[in-house]
mmCIF file of all heavy atoms in Angstrom:
data_model
loop_
_atom_site.group_PDB
_atom_site.id
_atom_site.type_symbol
_atom_site.label_atom_id
_atom_site.label_comp_id
_atom_site.label_asym_id
_atom_site.label_seq_id
_atom_site.Cartn_x
_atom_site.Cartn_y
_atom_site.Cartn_z
ATOM 1 N N GLU A 524 0.800 -1.223 0.000
ATOM 2 C CA GLU A 524 0.001 0.000 0.001
ATOM 3 C C GLU A 524 0.835 1.280 0.000
ATOM 4 O O GLU A 524 0.319 2.346 -0.309
ATOM 5 C CB GLU A 524 -0.943 0.010 1.201
ATOM 6 C CG GLU A 524 -0.216 0.000 2.532
ATOM 7 C CD GLU A 524 -1.162 -0.132 3.712
ATOM 8 O OE1 GLU A 524 -2.120 -0.898 3.617
ATOM 9 O OE2 GLU A 524 -0.910 0.547 4.717
ATOM 10 N N ASN A 525 2.116 1.206 0.314
ATOM 11 C CA ASN A 525 2.961 2.406 0.371
ATOM 12 C C ASN A 525 3.721 2.689 -0.917
ATOM 13 O O ASN A 525 4.465 3.667 -0.982
ATOM 14 C CB ASN A 525 3.964 2.294 1.524
ATOM 15 C CG ASN A 525 3.289 2.350 2.869
ATOM 16 O OD1 ASN A 525 2.336 3.092 3.056
ATOM 17 N ND2 ASN A 525 3.773 1.569 3.807
ATOM 18 N N VAL A 526 3.542 1.856 -1.943
ATOM 19 C CA VAL A 526 4.300 2.011 -3.184
ATOM 20 C C VAL A 526 4.112 3.418 -3.746
ATOM 21 O O VAL A 526 2.992 3.911 -3.847
ATOM 22 C CB VAL A 526 3.867 0.952 -4.219
ATOM 23 C CG1 VAL A 526 4.485 1.228 -5.575
ATOM 24 C CG2 VAL A 526 4.252 -0.424 -3.751
ATOM 25 N N GLY A 527 5.234 4.070 -4.063
ATOM 26 C CA GLY A 527 5.191 5.407 -4.637
ATOM 27 C C GLY A 527 5.217 6.525 -3.609
ATOM 28 O O GLY A 527 5.386 7.681 -3.971
ATOM 29 N N ASN A 528 5.045 6.197 -2.335
ATOM 30 C CA ASN A 528 5.103 7.227 -1.293
ATOM 31 C C ASN A 528 6.536 7.686 -1.080
ATOM 32 O O ASN A 528 7.480 6.939 -1.291
ATOM 33 C CB ASN A 528 4.543 6.694 0.032
ATOM 34 C CG ASN A 528 3.036 6.579 0.014
ATOM 35 O OD1 ASN A 528 2.378 7.135 -0.837
ATOM 36 N ND2 ASN A 528 2.504 5.839 0.967
ATOM 37 N N PRO A 529 6.701 8.923 -0.618
ATOM 38 C CA PRO A 529 8.057 9.409 -0.329
ATOM 39 C C PRO A 529 8.645 8.687 0.880
ATOM 40 O O PRO A 529 7.943 7.947 1.577
ATOM 41 C CB PRO A 529 7.833 10.896 -0.034
ATOM 42 C CG PRO A 529 6.421 11.003 0.384
ATOM 43 C CD PRO A 529 5.677 9.917 -0.342
ATOM 44 N N PRO A 530 9.917 8.917 1.173
ATOM 45 C CA PRO A 530 10.530 8.288 2.353
ATOM 46 C C PRO A 530 9.746 8.632 3.624
ATOM 47 O O PRO A 530 9.053 9.652 3.677
ATOM 48 C CB PRO A 530 11.938 8.896 2.389
ATOM 49 C CG PRO A 530 12.206 9.310 0.990
ATOM 50 C CD PRO A 530 10.880 9.739 0.433
ATOM 51 N N PRO A 531 9.861 7.806 4.636
ATOM 52 C CA PRO A 531 9.050 8.010 5.843
ATOM 53 C C PRO A 531 9.500 9.195 6.686
ATOM 54 O O PRO A 531 10.660 9.607 6.646
ATOM 55 C CB PRO A 531 9.257 6.709 6.621
ATOM 56 C CG PRO A 531 10.605 6.242 6.202
ATOM 57 C CD PRO A 531 10.728 6.628 4.755
ATOM 58 N N ILE A 532 8.569 9.727 7.445
ATOM 59 C CA ILE A 532 8.884 10.724 8.458
ATOM 60 C C ILE A 532 9.389 9.964 9.678
ATOM 61 O O ILE A 532 8.845 8.922 10.042
ATOM 62 C CB ILE A 532 7.628 11.549 8.818
ATOM 63 C CG1 ILE A 532 7.222 12.405 7.622
ATOM 64 C CG2 ILE A 532 7.879 12.417 10.040
ATOM 65 C CD1 ILE A 532 5.940 13.158 7.806
ATOM 66 N N VAL A 533 10.444 10.464 10.283
ATOM 67 C CA VAL A 533 10.991 9.871 11.501
ATOM 68 C C VAL A 533 10.881 10.904 12.615
ATOM 69 O O VAL A 533 10.643 12.081 12.371
ATOM 70 C CB VAL A 533 12.459 9.415 11.325
ATOM 71 C CG1 VAL A 533 12.560 8.308 10.285
ATOM 72 C CG2 VAL A 533 13.356 10.572 10.954
ATOM 73 N N PHE A 534 11.040 10.441 13.833
ATOM 74 C CA PHE A 534 10.912 11.316 14.989
ATOM 75 C C PHE A 534 12.214 11.307 15.779
ATOM 76 O O PHE A 534 12.753 10.247 16.081
ATOM 77 C CB PHE A 534 9.736 10.877 15.861
ATOM 78 C CG PHE A 534 8.424 11.050 15.151
ATOM 79 C CD1 PHE A 534 7.918 10.048 14.347
ATOM 80 C CD2 PHE A 534 7.726 12.241 15.254
ATOM 81 C CE1 PHE A 534 6.720 10.215 13.665
ATOM 82 C CE2 PHE A 534 6.524 12.427 14.583
ATOM 83 C CZ PHE A 534 6.031 11.411 13.780
ATOM 84 N N LEU A 535 12.705 12.502 16.097
ATOM 85 C CA LEU A 535 13.953 12.682 16.825
ATOM 86 C C LEU A 535 13.639 12.954 18.288
ATOM 87 O O LEU A 535 12.881 13.865 18.609
ATOM 88 C CB LEU A 535 14.742 13.850 16.237
ATOM 89 C CG LEU A 535 16.031 14.257 16.952
ATOM 90 C CD1 LEU A 535 17.056 13.126 16.898
ATOM 91 C CD2 LEU A 535 16.596 15.525 16.330
ATOM 92 N N ASP A 536 14.200 12.140 19.162
ATOM 93 C CA ASP A 536 14.082 12.323 20.606
ATOM 94 C C ASP A 536 15.488 12.381 21.178
ATOM 95 O O ASP A 536 16.388 11.697 20.697
ATOM 96 C CB ASP A 536 13.337 11.150 21.249
ATOM 97 C CG ASP A 536 11.877 11.110 20.864
ATOM 98 O OD1 ASP A 536 11.117 11.909 21.440
ATOM 99 O OD2 ASP A 536 11.501 10.302 19.998
ATOM 100 N N GLY A 537 15.660 13.180 22.231
ATOM 101 C CA GLY A 537 16.957 13.209 22.883
ATOM 102 C C GLY A 537 17.060 14.300 23.919
ATOM 103 O O GLY A 537 16.404 15.345 23.820
ATOM 104 N N TYR A 538 17.849 14.034 24.927
ATOM 105 C CA TYR A 538 18.165 14.992 25.996
ATOM 106 C C TYR A 538 16.930 15.412 26.794
ATOM 107 O O TYR A 538 16.822 16.557 27.216
ATOM 108 C CB TYR A 538 18.895 16.218 25.438
ATOM 109 C CG TYR A 538 20.098 15.847 24.616
ATOM 110 C CD1 TYR A 538 20.178 16.168 23.277
ATOM 111 C CD2 TYR A 538 21.144 15.138 25.194
ATOM 112 C CE1 TYR A 538 21.286 15.806 22.518
ATOM 113 C CE2 TYR A 538 22.253 14.774 24.453
ATOM 114 C CZ TYR A 538 22.320 15.109 23.114
ATOM 115 O OH TYR A 538 23.409 14.742 22.366
ATOM 116 N N GLY A 539 16.003 14.495 26.989
ATOM 117 C CA GLY A 539 14.827 14.781 27.805
ATOM 118 C C GLY A 539 13.683 15.378 27.006
ATOM 119 O O GLY A 539 13.767 15.591 25.802
ATOM 120 N N SER A 540 12.611 15.659 27.705
ATOM 121 C CA SER A 540 11.383 16.103 27.038
ATOM 122 C C SER A 540 11.380 17.574 26.651
ATOM 123 O O SER A 540 10.431 18.044 26.047
ATOM 124 C CB SER A 540 10.187 15.813 27.943
ATOM 125 O OG SER A 540 10.338 16.516 29.159
ATOM 126 N N HIS A 541 12.443 18.321 26.986
ATOM 127 C CA HIS A 541 12.439 19.746 26.672
ATOM 128 C C HIS A 541 13.400 20.141 25.561
ATOM 129 O O HIS A 541 13.438 21.297 25.169
ATOM 130 C CB HIS A 541 12.768 20.568 27.925
ATOM 131 C CG HIS A 541 11.739 20.414 28.995
ATOM 132 N ND1 HIS A 541 10.467 20.902 28.875
ATOM 133 C CD2 HIS A 541 11.787 19.796 30.193
ATOM 134 C CE1 HIS A 541 9.782 20.622 29.959
ATOM 135 N NE2 HIS A 541 10.564 19.931 30.770
ATOM 136 N N TYR A 542 14.190 19.208 25.057
ATOM 137 C CA TYR A 542 15.137 19.595 24.016
ATOM 138 C C TYR A 542 14.726 19.072 22.645
ATOM 139 O O TYR A 542 14.480 19.836 21.739
ATOM 140 C CB TYR A 542 16.563 19.189 24.380
ATOM 141 C CG TYR A 542 17.557 20.082 23.694
ATOM 142 C CD1 TYR A 542 17.912 21.295 24.243
ATOM 143 C CD2 TYR A 542 18.088 19.738 22.468
ATOM 144 C CE1 TYR A 542 18.777 22.156 23.587
ATOM 145 C CE2 TYR A 542 18.955 20.587 21.802
ATOM 146 C CZ TYR A 542 19.290 21.787 22.364
ATOM 147 O OH TYR A 542 20.142 22.635 21.699
ATOM 148 N N PHE A 543 14.694 17.777 22.468
ATOM 149 C CA PHE A 543 14.176 17.176 21.236
ATOM 150 C C PHE A 543 13.023 16.260 21.605
ATOM 151 O O PHE A 543 13.181 15.050 21.698
ATOM 152 C CB PHE A 543 15.270 16.397 20.489
ATOM 153 C CG PHE A 543 16.353 17.244 19.903
ATOM 154 C CD1 PHE A 543 17.651 17.126 20.352
ATOM 155 C CD2 PHE A 543 16.074 18.158 18.908
ATOM 156 C CE1 PHE A 543 18.664 17.898 19.819
ATOM 157 C CE2 PHE A 543 17.085 18.947 18.368
ATOM 158 C CZ PHE A 543 18.379 18.814 18.826
ATOM 159 N N PRO A 544 11.828 16.821 21.803
ATOM 160 C CA PRO A 544 10.688 16.025 22.262
ATOM 161 C C PRO A 544 9.880 15.434 21.105
ATOM 162 O O PRO A 544 8.827 15.959 20.737
ATOM 163 C CB PRO A 544 9.866 17.034 23.051
ATOM 164 C CG PRO A 544 10.098 18.328 22.343
ATOM 165 C CD PRO A 544 11.510 18.249 21.801
ATOM 166 N N HIS A 545 10.360 14.381 20.505
ATOM 167 C CA HIS A 545 9.640 13.681 19.440
ATOM 168 C C HIS A 545 9.415 14.608 18.242
ATOM 169 O O HIS A 545 8.299 14.781 17.757
ATOM 170 C CB HIS A 545 8.327 13.117 19.982
ATOM 171 C CG HIS A 545 7.938 11.820 19.343
ATOM 172 N ND1 HIS A 545 8.734 10.699 19.371
ATOM 173 C CD2 HIS A 545 6.840 11.466 18.640
ATOM 174 C CE1 HIS A 545 8.130 9.728 18.732
ATOM 175 N NE2 HIS A 545 6.993 10.165 18.271
ATOM 176 N N VAL A 546 10.486 15.207 17.758
ATOM 177 C CA VAL A 546 10.446 16.187 16.672
ATOM 178 C C VAL A 546 10.314 15.457 15.334
ATOM 179 O O VAL A 546 11.154 14.614 15.000
ATOM 180 C CB VAL A 546 11.731 17.050 16.675
ATOM 181 C CG1 VAL A 546 11.724 18.039 15.523
ATOM 182 C CG2 VAL A 546 11.898 17.748 18.007
ATOM 183 N N PRO A 547 9.268 15.758 14.553
ATOM 184 C CA PRO A 547 9.140 15.113 13.241
ATOM 185 C C PRO A 547 10.210 15.616 12.291
ATOM 186 O O PRO A 547 10.477 16.816 12.209
ATOM 187 C CB PRO A 547 7.735 15.513 12.765
ATOM 188 C CG PRO A 547 7.354 16.686 13.580
ATOM 189 C CD PRO A 547 8.152 16.648 14.844
ATOM 190 N N CYS A 548 10.835 14.687 11.575
ATOM 191 C CA CYS A 548 11.946 15.017 10.659
ATOM 192 C C CYS A 548 11.861 14.142 9.416
ATOM 193 O O CYS A 548 11.223 13.093 9.419
ATOM 194 C CB CYS A 548 13.294 14.726 11.321
ATOM 195 S SG CYS A 548 13.619 15.551 12.859
ATOM 196 N N VAL A 549 12.546 14.582 8.394
ATOM 197 C CA VAL A 549 12.815 13.734 7.236
ATOM 198 C C VAL A 549 14.329 13.621 7.112
ATOM 199 O O VAL A 549 15.049 14.560 7.427
ATOM 200 C CB VAL A 549 12.190 14.285 5.935
ATOM 201 C CG1 VAL A 549 10.678 14.193 5.971
ATOM 202 C CG2 VAL A 549 12.638 15.691 5.654
ATOM 203 N N ILE A 550 14.775 12.485 6.682
ATOM 204 C CA ILE A 550 16.213 12.272 6.504
ATOM 205 C C ILE A 550 16.539 12.654 5.070
ATOM 206 O O ILE A 550 16.045 12.033 4.125
ATOM 207 C CB ILE A 550 16.598 10.811 6.800
ATOM 208 C CG1 ILE A 550 16.243 10.469 8.245
ATOM 209 C CG2 ILE A 550 18.084 10.583 6.530
ATOM 210 C CD1 ILE A 550 16.409 9.010 8.599
ATOM 211 N N THR A 551 17.351 13.687 4.908
ATOM 212 C CA THR A 551 17.688 14.169 3.570
ATOM 213 C C THR A 551 19.064 13.711 3.109
ATOM 214 O O THR A 551 19.358 13.791 1.926
ATOM 215 C CB THR A 551 17.643 15.712 3.513
ATOM 216 O OG1 THR A 551 18.600 16.236 4.439
ATOM 217 C CG2 THR A 551 16.258 16.230 3.847
ATOM 218 N N ASN A 552 19.878 13.237 4.038
ATOM 219 C CA ASN A 552 21.237 12.861 3.683
ATOM 220 C C ASN A 552 21.746 11.857 4.705
ATOM 221 O O ASN A 552 21.533 12.017 5.900
ATOM 222 C CB ASN A 552 22.109 14.122 3.686
ATOM 223 C CG ASN A 552 23.530 13.855 3.250
ATOM 224 O OD1 ASN A 552 23.882 12.749 2.874
ATOM 225 N ND2 ASN A 552 24.352 14.878 3.318
ATOM 226 N N PHE A 553 22.409 10.834 4.225
ATOM 227 C CA PHE A 553 23.061 9.862 5.106
ATOM 228 C C PHE A 553 24.425 9.541 4.519
ATOM 229 O O PHE A 553 24.541 9.187 3.345
ATOM 230 C CB PHE A 553 22.230 8.574 5.225
ATOM 231 C CG PHE A 553 22.976 7.450 5.882
ATOM 232 C CD1 PHE A 553 23.362 7.536 7.213
ATOM 233 C CD2 PHE A 553 23.310 6.308 5.183
ATOM 234 C CE1 PHE A 553 24.059 6.507 7.824
ATOM 235 C CE2 PHE A 553 23.999 5.270 5.779
ATOM 236 C CZ PHE A 553 24.375 5.371 7.104
ATOM 237 N N THR A 554 25.451 9.713 5.325
ATOM 238 C CA THR A 554 26.817 9.425 4.902
ATOM 239 C C THR A 554 27.475 8.551 5.959
ATOM 240 O O THR A 554 27.318 8.801 7.150
ATOM 241 C CB THR A 554 27.628 10.735 4.773
ATOM 242 O OG1 THR A 554 26.945 11.618 3.895
ATOM 243 C CG2 THR A 554 29.023 10.467 4.256
ATOM 244 N N HIS A 555 28.169 7.534 5.526
ATOM 245 C CA HIS A 555 28.986 6.753 6.460
ATOM 246 C C HIS A 555 30.281 6.389 5.753
ATOM 247 O O HIS A 555 30.361 6.374 4.533
ATOM 248 C CB HIS A 555 28.235 5.507 6.982
ATOM 249 C CG HIS A 555 28.062 4.421 5.978
ATOM 250 N ND1 HIS A 555 28.883 3.326 5.924
ATOM 251 C CD2 HIS A 555 27.157 4.238 5.003
ATOM 252 C CE1 HIS A 555 28.490 2.522 4.954
ATOM 253 N NE2 HIS A 555 27.440 3.066 4.374
ATOM 254 N N ASN A 556 31.304 6.156 6.548
ATOM 255 C CA ASN A 556 32.585 5.813 5.945
ATOM 256 C C ASN A 556 33.097 4.501 6.520
ATOM 257 O O ASN A 556 32.710 4.092 7.601
ATOM 258 C CB ASN A 556 33.612 6.941 6.095
ATOM 259 C CG ASN A 556 33.932 7.241 7.548
ATOM 260 O OD1 ASN A 556 33.678 6.450 8.433
ATOM 261 N ND2 ASN A 556 34.489 8.400 7.802
ATOM 262 N N LEU A 557 33.956 3.875 5.772
ATOM 263 C CA LEU A 557 34.602 2.628 6.177
ATOM 264 C C LEU A 557 36.104 2.897 6.194
ATOM 265 O O LEU A 557 36.782 2.759 5.172
ATOM 266 C CB LEU A 557 34.261 1.494 5.209
ATOM 267 C CG LEU A 557 32.767 1.162 5.086
ATOM 268 C CD1 LEU A 557 32.526 0.202 3.936
ATOM 269 C CD2 LEU A 557 32.247 0.595 6.382
ATOM 270 N N PRO A 558 36.638 3.316 7.343
ATOM 271 C CA PRO A 558 38.063 3.658 7.399
ATOM 272 C C PRO A 558 38.956 2.443 7.139
ATOM 273 O O PRO A 558 38.564 1.297 7.379
ATOM 274 C CB PRO A 558 38.258 4.202 8.812
ATOM 275 C CG PRO A 558 37.040 3.868 9.570
ATOM 276 C CD PRO A 558 35.977 3.477 8.615
#
């Protein structure tokens, strides 16, 4: 049922309920390296 939909919305949590309280985000870039 999700075919053709854009990438999912994710939620950022961190540092307690007053800093990043379940902030909706989209991931626009992911980079990782293999040293």
Side-chain angles (χ1 to χ4, degrees):
E524 62 186 40
N525 292 322
V526 171
N528 286 344
I532 292 175
V533 297
F534 294 88
L535 175 64
D536 291 282
Y538 307 118
S540 60
H541 297 292
Y542 206 84
F543 292 116
H545 214 58
V546 178
C548 303
V549 291
I550 299 172
T551 61
N552 183 4
F553 168 66
T554 305
H555 72 99
N556 62 18
L557 300 170

